[in-house]
Amino acid sequence: MKKGEKISMSREQVFKKRGELFALRHVINLSSDLLDTPDFYWDRQELENLYQQICNHMNITKRTKVMNERLSYCSELIDLLGNHMNDKHHVRLEWMIIILIMVEVMFECIHFVELVFH
């Protein structure tokens, strides 16, 4: 896009990429136990403390936040591509409508000329 070259992705591919990003965000935030303490540790206080220490040492919360920010950036890029492709599609439809109106006007002019000269 920066170079002004043609985008080689189709609208369907952009739609699939958008779905992949949402699925990845779902796995990170909702389907995994990265952000919550698993139920296993609730009745094992000493293991829960160890689990929390490991999570703090590995910066799980911070890493998850960074990953979400990166996914948001990717999502914005895919939205930009999708909007660009939709705009191109709308412009093509508008030109088709303009051409159809011009053809209709041309036929009406021909019909008017036939009425006047006959």
Side-chain angles (χ1 to χ4, degrees):
M1 285 187 335
K2 180 180 176 180
K3 295 179 182 179
E5 296 176 359
K6 184 178 179 183
I7 299 170
S8 61
M9 292 178 73
S10 68
R11 293 173 70 194
E12 291 80 20
Q13 289 172 323
V14 170
F15 188 71
K16 286 180 183 178
K17 289 295 179 190
R18 187 176 288 149
E20 289 175 15
L21 286 173
F22 280 117
L24 184 56
R25 182 172 277 170
H26 174 77
V27 167
I28 291 172
N29 293 309
L30 300 175
S31 294
S32 69
D33 288 331
L34 292 175
L35 300 176
D36 297 325
T37 303
D39 296 342
F40 173 79
Y41 297 110
W42 284 7
D43 57 350
R44 295 168 183 88
Q45 187 65 34
E46 65 282 349
L47 292 178
E48 183 178 1
N49 289 334
L50 183 60
Y51 177 80
Q52 291 297 332
Q53 288 174 1
I54 290 171
C55 287
N56 290 336
H57 179 73
M58 298 178 110
N59 293 327
I60 299 294
T61 305
K62 182 179 177 184
R63 290 174 190 256
T64 304
K65 182 180 176 185
V66 169
M67 183 61 74
N68 279 320
E69 289 173 0
R70 290 181 180 177
L71 287 173
S72 293
Y73 174 74
C74 291
S75 182
E76 289 174 15
L77 180 61
I78 291 295
D79 287 342
L80 178 68
L81 286 173
N83 290 338
H84 174 71
M85 290 182 172
N86 284 337
D87 289 344
K88 283 176 46 179
H89 181 70
H90 292 137
V91 167
R92 188 172 64 235
L93 289 175
E94 288 172 1
W95 274 109
M96 292 170 80
I97 290 169
I98 290 170
I99 290 170
L100 287 172
I101 291 171
M102 288 173 54
V103 167
E104 184 178 351
V105 168
M106 185 180 70
F107 281 126
E108 286 297 320
C109 288
I110 291 172
H111 181 70
F112 179 73
V113 168
E114 286 178 348
L115 285 176
V116 168
F117 292 110
H118 286 115

